[in-house]
Amino acid sequence: MKNDFKLIISLLQNTRFKVTIIILALLSFMAFGSITNKMTIVDGIYNILTWNFFIMVLLFLFLFNAYNIITETSKNYSFLIRIKNYKEFISKIIKFIFISNLIIYLIVLFLLLIISVLRTGMNLQIDSYGIYNLDNLVYLIFHIIRSYFILNMLVVILVSLYKLVKEEIVVILSGILPISIVALTPFISEKKITSVFKLPLYYGEYFIKNNYETFIFEICMSLLFISVLALISKILIEVTSKRKIDLAI
């Protein structure tokens, strides 16, 4: 555990991670124009977190951070000699990804809060969320948590393909997945989701205002989707672990 903590700290100090933070700062300030002075702070943050271009770049940065982690750990001899097998290796990689991407995400939220405060003039009004009988702040918190897990599980699935398919295929998928939200969102219409059989299977649909019967039902459907992503990742890891793998680059 102590060694893992030291490794995470070293990953956060390397050049690639610093570049990621710089890009995040630029991206956040690009979002300045998407908030109007008529919005509340909560609406401003939610508006940015559902902006398809913002989600695309954020997912790219999460993927870039995962690449940084895999590259650095695969060259770290002191880390590799402690690893027993591929499953242990990939589980630690996933843990590092969730921790470091959480740091990135918290920085994003902090920057968005600052921008929203500046743009809305400290409008702290809490309104009712459109289709549910609850505050929009509560829904924003839910959306923030759901977005973090969905985007990270997409990263984990691509990482699970590491050593299973050719690197070029993973790179292509890592490009297609983020870009697809900008390309496809204009063609995705809002849906009324009333049963589990209507579960949205494309991640971009969780960044638009679909109409679920209740807030609890939306939470359950979101958990189901995240569970599906986790199951896909687990299957890929199990398949890969049966192969003879050299973990070092």
Side-chain angles (χ1 to χ4, degrees):
M1 187 68 180
K2 185 178 179 180
N3 290 326
D4 288 350
F5 179 75
K6 288 181 179 179
L7 182 56
I8 290 172
I9 295 300
S10 68
L11 290 170
L12 299 180
Q13 292 176 337
N14 71 19
T15 302
R16 292 193 192 99
F17 190 83
K18 292 175 182 177
V19 169
T20 299
I21 300 303
I22 293 172
I23 295 174
L24 276 178
L26 294 174
L27 173 64
S28 299
F29 284 101
M30 281 176 60
F32 194 88
S34 67
I35 303 176
T36 69
N37 54 15
K38 295 181 180 179
M39 291 180 177
T40 65
I41 292 175
V42 171
D43 289 336
I45 295 173
Y46 180 75
N47 196 51
I48 296 174
L49 289 176
T50 53
W51 180 24
N52 56 8
F53 180 79
F54 187 88
I55 299 303
M56 177 187 74
V57 179
L58 183 59
L59 181 52
F60 265 126
L61 291 177
F62 278 6
L63 287 165
F64 180 69
N65 181 53
Y67 167 76
N68 176 36
I69 290 170
I70 291 175
T71 301
E72 293 301 315
T73 53
S74 298
K75 295 188 296 186
N76 190 316
Y77 178 74
S78 62
F79 169 73
L80 292 176
I81 60 174
R82 300 195 307 270
I83 301 299
K84 298 176 182 177
N85 51 45
Y86 174 79
K87 280 188 180 180
E88 184 180 357
F89 172 79
I90 204 70
S91 66
K92 285 188 177 293
I93 292 295
I94 291 172
K95 181 176 74 173
F96 296 158
I97 286 171
F98 267 87
I99 293 173
S100 56
N101 277 349
L102 178 60
I103 293 171
I104 291 172
Y105 199 53
L106 291 175
I107 293 172
V108 168
L109 294 175
F110 177 71
L111 291 172
L112 294 187
L113 176 61
I114 292 174
I115 292 168
S116 192
V117 167
L118 293 174
R119 189 65 172 150
T120 63
M122 280 294 291
N123 187 341
L124 298 172
Q125 181 179 338
I126 304 297
D127 298 318
S128 176
Y129 182 73
I131 59 177
Y132 303 131
N133 185 26
L134 80 161
D135 294 341
N136 58 355
L137 177 58
V138 174
Y139 189 81
L140 174 63
I141 293 171
F142 160 69
H143 180 77
I144 287 172
I145 296 171
R146 176 177 65 181
S147 299
Y148 169 75
F149 279 101
I150 287 178
L151 293 178
N152 271 282
M153 286 312 305
L154 293 173
V155 174
V156 168
I157 287 176
L158 289 174
V159 169
S160 301
L161 290 171
Y162 174 67
K163 300 290 187 180
L164 181 61
V165 299
K166 291 183 178 179
E167 184 178 339
E168 292 81 1
I169 295 175
V170 179
V171 171
I172 291 171
L173 290 175
S174 298
I176 291 175
L177 199 58
I179 292 173
S180 69
I181 194 168
V182 172
L184 297 179
T185 298
F187 304 101
I188 300 175
S189 57
E190 294 182 17
K191 298 177 182 177
K192 185 173 179 62
I193 300 172
T194 57
S195 75
V196 69
F197 299 105
K198 294 184 179 180
L199 175 73
L201 296 176
Y202 173 59
Y203 85 95
E205 292 190 71
Y206 293 88
F207 295 92
I208 64 174
K209 293 181 180 179
N210 279 322
N211 185 6
Y212 295 81
E213 285 192 322
T214 65
F215 179 51
I216 297 299
F217 183 58
E218 182 170 357
I219 292 175
C220 292
M221 293 291 274
S222 300
L223 289 173
L224 178 58
F225 179 67
I226 293 169
S227 299
V228 169
L229 296 180
L231 178 61
I232 293 172
S233 175
K234 183 174 178 58
I235 292 171
L236 291 173
I237 291 171
E238 289 294 332
V239 171
T240 309
S241 64
K242 298 182 183 301
R243 308 172 106 193
K244 291 183 179 179
I245 295 173
D246 181 9
L247 298 178
I249 291 179

